[in-house]
Amino acid sequence: MIGADLTTLLLDAGNTVVFLDMDAVAGVAKSAGVHVAAEHLLAVEGAAKRRYEASLGAGGSHASGWRLYFSTLLVEAGVEAGPAGRLIDPLRAAHEELNLWRRVPADLPDALTEARAIGLRLGIVSNSEGRLEELFAHVGLGDAFEVIVDSSIEGVRKPDPEIFRRATERMNVPPAEAIYAGDIPSVDVDGALGAGLSAALIDPRDFYPDHVGSPRFASVAELVRAIRRARR
């Protein structure tokens, strides 16, 4: 259930605000002589997300989880394990040149505008590599968020409640007035709830149909509409 007294919307970055550019991933693979269709990568992304989630849950780093994510994505899409392993370094190089999570949903800019219009303050809490401000400027979201709390800069990562607390403290917002939305239940939803925030799961491709830990939405736009309705 979405509360009517929320003042702040905090968002994950990857697969919530910016999505993996599967065409770019397929392009890197093609340059290395490996052919895999972007639509096949998209269809199996759920398996890669679950491997990443399990890796973090077992104490793995974001960097190791990143590599596991892509190796799983490629193998599940039909690439043999050997070629998939050899693609990880070229993909990492492409990611460092310009974050591969760079596709902005068509309805997101208007959703953020609507969120501000109904009085919501906006921020980002993300497990990332310290360059989100650069990425957001590149994709036209440079002025969209009051704060960007990036795990690489902070030295703490989701699901640790501390990273969520830092965001609410910097915005001078009580955790009970904030909702956090992300795409991985045990990382995003559990972490936010542990910090005293409300939480929502963003699940555009229905990867978590049995999720019961929080409300589930297909997009940030759908979540913003739900918050607006709760205020009526």
Side-chain angles (χ1 to χ4, degrees):
M1 182 173 179
I2 300 297
D5 56 352
L6 296 171
T7 65
T8 303
L9 174 58
L10 297 174
L11 299 167
D12 186 16
N15 287 342
T16 300
V17 168
V18 284
F19 286 74
L20 184 57
D21 185 341
M22 296 300 184
D23 288 324
V25 175
V28 170
K30 184 177 180 180
S31 295
V34 176
H35 294 276
V36 59
E39 57 266 29
H40 292 165
L41 294 167
L42 186 62
V44 300
E45 189 180 15
K49 289 174 68 170
R50 290 185 179 89
R51 291 291 301 276
Y52 174 80
E53 183 178 14
S55 174
L56 288 191
S61 68
H62 171 65
S64 63
W66 192 100
R67 299 180 73 88
L68 181 63
Y69 186 101
F70 274 102
S71 62
T72 302
L73 184 71
L74 292 163
V75 169
E76 290 289 331
V79 179
E80 293 184 1
R86 290 190 290 273
L87 283 173
I88 301 304
D89 285 342
L91 284 166
R92 188 69 200 187
H95 183 72
E96 290 177 357
E97 181 177 350
L98 178 60
N99 195 312
L100 288 170
W101 275 263
R102 61 194 185 210
R103 183 178 63 81
V104 178
D107 61 358
L108 181 78
D110 285 346
L112 298 181
T113 297
E114 181 180 0
R116 287 187 290 268
I118 64 174
L120 289 174
R121 299 170 63 190
L122 302 175
I124 293 287
V125 180
S126 177
N127 287 350
S128 194
E129 295 91 21
R131 298 175 62 188
L132 285 176
E133 290 190 13
E134 176 185 341
L135 171 66
F136 289 154
H138 180 85
V139 299
L141 299 174
D143 299 322
F145 306 104
E146 281 188 48
V147 299
I148 298 173
V149 181
D150 184 316
S151 64
S152 183
I153 295 171
E154 300 297 324
V156 61
R157 68 176 187 265
K158 302 177 300 180
D160 190 328
E162 173 62 21
I163 196 168
F164 301 95
R165 294 191 191 105
R166 292 185 189 182
T168 55
E169 287 171 0
R170 287 171 196 174
M171 298 177 78
N172 195 27
V173 173
E177 292 184 8
I179 185 169
Y180 181 78
D183 67 301
I184 299 181
S186 67
V187 176
D188 297 311
V189 172
D190 292 353
L193 294 175
L197 287 71
S198 298
L201 184 70
I202 303 299
D203 188 18
R205 295 188 59 80
D206 204 28
F207 288 141
Y208 298 99
D210 300 324
H211 175 72
V212 295
S214 72
R216 186 168 65 107
F217 299 95
S219 64
V220 171
E222 188 177 285
L223 169 59
V224 170
R225 290 193 292 270
I227 296 172
R228 184 189 62 201
R229 289 193 299 269
R231 292 181 164 192
R232 289 176 179 169

